[in-house]
Amino acid sequence: MAITVHRATKKDQQDVGELWQALLDQQAGLDARFGPSEDARKRWDNDFPVWIRQESRRIFVAAKDEKVVGFLTAHRWAA
């Protein structure tokens, strides 16, 4: 089945959070200076619902067979 992409919703929070945590762990494994803070996941879980509602942010989720396999984030900055 093909990979589908959709804008993230509240139901994607757990899956995207797990992928994000895996990315942080991988980066820390390459260079300890990039290790996540102790409260990184808690902060992600707190911020995710806000981010998916903001007009200046976008989080997209890639799914295959209804399983989240990737995500993309964007944040528009303007003066």
Side-chain angles (χ1 to χ4, degrees):
M1 182 167 207
I3 292 177
T4 60
V5 176
H6 66 270
R7 192 164 172 191
T9 65
K10 179 72 173 148
K11 73 177 185 69
D12 297 313
Q13 182 170 343
Q14 181 67 29
D15 292 337
V16 176
E18 289 173 9
L19 287 174
W20 180 76
Q21 185 69 54
L23 174 63
L24 293 181
D25 294 342
Q26 182 181 33
Q27 288 175 329
L30 296 171
D31 188 330
R33 294 175 297 170
F34 296 110
S37 65
E38 290 183 17
D39 66 342
R41 182 58 190 263
K42 181 179 178 180
R43 290 173 36 212
W44 170 271
D45 289 336
N46 183 64
D47 293 342
F48 184 87
V50 175
W51 291 339
I52 62 174
R53 291 190 310 266
Q54 287 180 331
E55 283 301 313
S56 62
R57 287 190 187 267
R58 292 292 185 267
I59 301 176
F60 291 95
V61 172
K64 184 173 183 179
D65 300 326
E66 299 185 30
K67 176 175 174 30
V68 174
V69 295
F71 71 99
L72 161 81
T73 65
H75 188 186
R76 182 183 68 226
W77 294 90

